[in-house]
Amino acid sequence: MIATLHHQLGESGTHAHVDRMSGLPQRFRVRTDHLLNILRTYKAIGFKTAIDDFGAGHAGLQLLSKFQPDIVKIDMDLVRGIDTDPVKRSILRYTLRLLEDLGITPLCEGIETADELEALRDLGVRLIQGYLIAKPAFERLAMPIVPPLRVLQAAE
């Protein structure tokens, strides 16, 4: 299945992105080694991977020590009020340095004010998301342009 998926993605020119695998109830949690194996396989075939809610407790340094994704999405609780909270700013500054050392792109979540945005720019953050930029609007997203599956199967 993985080989077929990889082939189909390559043939279509599509770049896959795994956005998040967090917040699962306990009964749905998988063994860490099994999940890491899946993520490493995805990364090996060209998927972009991300750790969501970094700094929220369940997505922290222990996970980062076992798997280095392409992107780390820094939790909004660490970002909110960054312009007025020197402790948060210090924690984020060193987190950003750690991510840079590991070759991981940071993305800060939950930006709601221009002052937060300016503080993040001063720290060198380039990727952000939050209500300041746009509110979630899933129903307005354009459909991706991907060839129909039958076209991909004919190419095999």
Side-chain angles (χ1 to χ4, degrees):
M1 180 176 156
I2 295 294
T4 302
L5 176 62
H6 185 330
H7 178 75
Q8 289 177 348
L9 290 171
E11 290 291 318
S12 70
T14 302
H15 299 283
H17 177 77
V18 176
D19 186 44
R20 60 188 284 172
M21 291 184 180
S22 63
L24 294 175
Q26 184 66 37
R27 69 177 187 249
F28 294 114
R29 297 219 175 147
V30 295
R31 292 186 344 259
T32 303
D33 60 333
H34 181 66
L35 177 60
L36 292 173
N37 214 12
I38 292 168
L39 291 172
R40 288 183 184 113
T41 300
Y42 284 165
K43 197 168 185 174
I45 63 173
F47 280 65
K48 296 290 184 189
T49 56
I51 293 176
D52 197 17
D53 300 329
F54 187 80
H58 64 278
L61 294 174
Q62 184 178 10
L63 177 57
L64 192 60
S65 72
K66 294 177 181 180
F67 179 74
Q68 295 76 50
D70 299 287
I71 298 168
V72 162
K73 296 175 73 177
I74 297 171
D75 189 67
M76 70 175 82
D77 287 336
L78 187 55
V79 172
R80 192 86 29 87
I82 192 86
D83 55 309
T84 59
D85 189 329
V87 174
K88 285 184 178 183
R89 205 167 31 255
S90 182
I91 292 168
L92 186 56
R93 181 181 304 112
Y94 287 100
T95 300
L96 294 170
R97 184 172 174 198
L98 169 67
L99 295 174
E100 181 182 354
D101 287 351
L102 295 174
I104 299 169
T105 302
L107 183 151
C108 289
E109 301 177 316
I111 315 313
E112 293 189 350
T113 70
D115 291 336
E116 290 171 345
L117 176 60
E118 191 61 36
L120 292 169
R121 282 184 180 159
D122 290 346
L123 289 171
V125 174
R126 298 180 63 194
L127 298 179
I128 61 163
Q129 70 181 52
Y131 282 3
L132 180 66
I133 307 306
K135 292 186 178 176
F138 183 76
E139 65 277 0
R140 293 189 213 156
L141 291 176
M143 291 300 294
I145 301 171
V146 178
L149 185 57
R150 66 182 180 281
V151 172
L152 293 174
Q153 289 172 343
E156 292 182 49

